[in-house]
Amino acid sequence: MARNLIADVDLSAIRHNYCLARAQAAHAHAVAIIKADAYGHGAVRVARALETEADAFGVAAIEEALELREGGITRPILLLEGFFEAEELELICQHQLWTAMHSLEQLALLEHFLQQRTDVSGLHVWLKIDSGMHRLGVHPDDVQSALKRLKALAAVESVVAMSHFACADEPQRPDTLRQLQQIDRSLSGMNIARSLCNSAGVMHWPQAHHQWLRPGIMLYGASPFAEPQPVAAQLKPGMTLSTEIIAIREVPAGDAVGYGASWIAEVPTRIATLAVGYADGYSRHAPSGTPVWLNGRRAALAGRVSMDMATVDLSLHPEARVGDRVELWGANIPVNEVADYCGTIPYTLLSGLTRRVKRRYTSE
């Protein structure tokens, strides 16, 4: 019998979440961020489900964009990190991709390319501004001259100014307001479309919405916020990760379970073994006590997660049997909650699922 570990992806929930993002700024367009295989949900399938709604799709690099084009996706695709070498500009033109530009070196490469290729037209460039995150982006002092150089290129059809927030998911901090002020200074006197908002920006910072949103994690039903948030409460989980019990044993009081003997039975305890481990992407850092959903109520991990298996305390589940389904995260166990137990964020759990996990799709 095949190992029955399944990620059920609800495409209708992802569509709902995209529409919820758009509803936060009815005047704005929205790039659906589907990099990293749509955060583990399957980029081509998600893009097909969103193609009638999404204004554009966002990916990290050209390999991800080409996978979408090969999958039949015709909507605009934005390369969020731009191009890494001049040769990629040929592919950008061939496949009509939009590209971010985060350095003056990239701008010089584009200018040189267009000097050689006078037949090129219709390019869409998103100039990234380093407004304070200090990861990628043109220095604020160079923004206006870079924009003028871009607008001087006849092949460039449109330019959007973009930036990325470092702390939008922590509304009490002043960092986002400082970044907004820096962006305003950098673009002073220039009439140009802006794209500033990731999911946290979409959900909490209406003054930053402008013309283009970039919702990511919220599309998949997870919240970027550590605390409850009104828009987050309306999200629907895009994935339910579930497996089954493959063995049950009675563990005497005083005996340990799993590697390192870190969990010890205080009383005689039934222990279930699940077909899931860190080689599937379920975090090894999930401690004893991490919740799962079994037969309509919660149970908890007991012992360390190993490469292929995890163990669960069945003390409150005398009815449990081999073959019973166990939800690891989804509608009953939010992925945000599992991430909290693991000391991480939902992004890492969702995008970390490996190819051993079977994806199964529903659209309604």
Side-chain angles (χ1 to χ4, degrees), residues 143-203:
V143 167
Q144 298 226 2
S145 62
L147 286 170
K148 290 174 183 175
R149 286 167 64 182
L150 281 171
K151 291 185 175 183
L153 298 172
V156 175
E157 180 177 325
S158 71
V159 181
V160 174
M162 68 184 300
S163 195
H164 196 68
F165 293 136
C167 303
D169 56 340
E170 300 179 76
Q172 72 281 5
R173 293 182 56 165
D175 305 72
T176 300
L177 292 175
R178 284 201 294 263
Q179 286 190 259
L180 286 169
Q181 291 165 359
Q182 179 62 73
I183 292 162
D184 285 341
R185 287 193 294 269
S186 299
L187 297 174
S188 177
M190 303 200 78
N191 181 21
I192 187 168
R194 303 185 189 187
S195 176
L196 309 179
C197 285
N198 54 9
S199 290
V202 171
M203 298 165 73

Side-chain angles (χ1 to χ4, degrees), residues 326-344:
V326 179
E327 179 187 310
L328 303 163
W329 64 65
N332 300 295
I333 303 293
V335 67
N336 281 75
E337 183 178 359
V338 179
D340 285 343
Y341 273 88
C342 298
T344 187

Side-chain angles (χ1 to χ4, degrees), residues 266-289:
E266 296 180 357
V267 296
T269 306
R270 293 177 81 221
I271 294 291
T273 300
L274 309 183
V276 65
Y278 59 77
D280 303 298
Y282 190 79
S283 179
R284 184 181 181 275
H285 300 292
S288 296

Side-chain angles (χ1 to χ4, degrees), residues 25-39:
H27 65 281
H29 300 289
V31 179
I33 304 302
I34 58 173
K35 62 182 179 177
D37 200 29
Y39 294 45

Side-chain angles (χ1 to χ4, degrees), residues 254-269:
D255 276 15
V257 173
Y259 284 118
S262 62
W263 186 91
I264 299 173
E266 296 180 357
V267 296
T269 306

